[in-house]
Amino acid sequence: MLHRSRKLFDNLFCYIWSGQGNNAHSYLFPNVLRGERPHVIVDPGLLVDEMYEGCFDSLTDAMANDGFKMEDIGLIINTHTHPDHCQATETIVDRSARTDGKGKINKAVVAITKEADDYYRVAGERMFNMFGMKVVKLDPLIYLAEGDLGLGRDDRQVNLTVIYTPGHSPGSICLYWPDKKVLITGDLVFNGSVGRTDFPGGSITTLKQSIERVSQLDVEYLLPGHSTEMGSIIEGKRRVEQNFRAIKFII
C-alpha cells in the first residue's frame, strides 16, 4: 500500500503518501457530518501519478482498512487546485452519487475558494496538460471564505478556521483546528521546505507573507501537503516553531 495511515485523533486520520510519484497527502475528518455521507476529506490527490502508481486505489484501500468508504465522503475540501491535490475530486463526487426516494441525485460537495476556482478555470487545463493528465471537473458548490468553518454539529462538530495563504497558487488556503492546535498547510509549508512558486500564479513575495501569517498560530501538529527529505508531519510546538524559523531563513 502506498499510503501510510495515521490516526491523529478520533476525528482526524492522516493518509501520508509514500510512493515515488508526486502525489499529495490526504486528510480525513470521519463521521463529522450528519446524514449518509458523514466524512470530510482534504486534498484527495491524484488518480494515477507520473510513475503509474495507483494513488486513488491506494487511498481507497487505506481508508477501507480504517473502516471508511470513499463513497461515504460528503465534503471535499481542496487547499488549492493543482492536479496532485485535486484530480481525484471528480471521481469521489461520482462515486458518492445516490438517488433519494424522490428521484433526486445527491452527491458529495466540493469546497474551494472563489480565487482558486477562477484560477482553475483560467490555468487548470494548462496545468493538467502540462502533466499529461485529463482535465477534471471541480464544480464547487461552496466557496470557502476566510474565517470559521464548522463541520457537523453537536458532539461531532469540528470547528476549523480557513486562512487565505496564496503564493504557491492563487486562492490557496490552510486549515487551522484551534481545539487540537492542528494546521493543514497544503503546499505552503513542508518539513524543512516551502511550496514552489514557479508555476503560473506563483509569487515568492506573497508566499513569504502567507508563511508569516500562519507562523503566528499556536500549532502543535503541522500537516503538510507532501513529505520532504526532512520528513512529513511535524509534532510538538517547539519543533513547529523551529521549522518556521528555518524556512524563513532560507526563503
Side-chain angles (χ1 to χ4, degrees):
M1 193 175 297
L2 298 171
H3 283 87
R4 291 184 288 107
S5 173
R6 166 81 186 280
K7 179 182 177 180
L8 203 60
F9 302 102
D10 286 342
N11 46 5
L12 177 56
F13 281 68
C14 309
Y15 293 98
I16 303 303
W17 174 249
S18 59
Q20 299 180 52
N22 187 45
N23 186 42
H25 301 331
S26 299
Y27 299 103
L28 185 76
F29 294 94
N31 299 313
V32 296
L33 304 178
R34 289 187 174 184
E36 57 185 5
R37 288 184 296 271
H39 309 325
V40 178
I41 194 166
V42 179
D43 288 348
L46 292 167
L47 297 175
V48 178
D49 65 21
E50 73 276 14
M51 304 299 292
Y52 302 103
E53 296 170 309
C55 307
F56 184 71
D57 288 344
S58 172
L59 177 60
T60 301
D61 291 343
M63 287 175 51
N65 283 345
D66 291 328
F68 310 124
K69 296 180 180 179
M70 191 67 73
E71 54 265 33
D72 290 340
I73 289 174
L75 176 65
I76 306 163
I77 298 175
N78 290 312
T79 61
H80 61 292
T81 53
H82 285 163
D84 56 324
H85 287 254
C86 74
Q87 187 194 33
T89 298
E90 182 181 16
T91 299
I92 295 176
V93 170
D94 291 342
R95 285 199 182 186
S96 70
R98 297 169 191 169
T99 304
D100 63 19
K102 299 180 180 180
K104 181 180 178 181
I105 298 176
N106 295 310
K107 52 191 177 181
V109 170
V110 179
I112 57 177
T113 64
K114 177 64 164 60
E115 293 84 352
D117 188 34
D118 290 342
Y119 171 75
Y120 186 75
R121 294 174 187 276
V122 172
E125 183 172 350
R126 188 172 13 147
M127 289 288 293
F128 273 79
N129 288 336
M130 183 187 305
F131 295 105
M133 300 174 184
K134 179 184 176 182
V135 178
V136 300
K137 294 179 181 178
L138 294 183
D139 293 334
L141 187 62
I142 296 174
Y143 280 140
L144 297 171
E146 184 163 271
D148 295 338
L149 175 65
L151 303 177
R153 296 180 181 177
D154 305 324
D155 59 332
R156 293 184 178 183
Q157 186 164 356
V158 172
N159 295 308
L160 302 179
T161 302
V162 177
I163 304 170
Y164 284 162
T165 52
H168 171 69
S169 175
S172 290
I173 60 167
C174 289
L175 295 173
Y176 180 52
W177 188 8
D179 291 344
K180 301 295 186 181
K181 300 181 181 180
V182 170
L183 182 66
I184 299 175
T185 63
D187 279 1
L188 178 69
V189 173
F190 309 123
N191 193 330
S193 185
V194 300
R196 58 192 294 181
T197 57
D198 57 337
F199 288 136
S203 166
I204 187 62
T205 300
T206 306
L207 188 84
K208 290 179 180 179
Q209 294 170 347
S210 295
I211 291 172
E212 183 61 36
R213 287 193 68 197
V214 298
S215 70
Q216 307 304 312
L217 299 171
D218 184 7
V219 178
E220 293 187 3
Y221 301 91
L222 191 150
L223 311 185
H226 298 273
S227 297
T228 65
E229 292 182 359
M230 299 292 290
S232 187
I233 293 174
I234 303 175
E235 297 184 52
K237 182 178 177 64
R238 181 169 170 270
R239 291 194 62 224
V240 171
E241 290 176 345
Q242 287 176 336
N243 191 69
F244 276 121
R245 284 197 296 269
I247 62 177
K248 287 179 184 179
F249 180 76
I250 65 174
I251 59 174

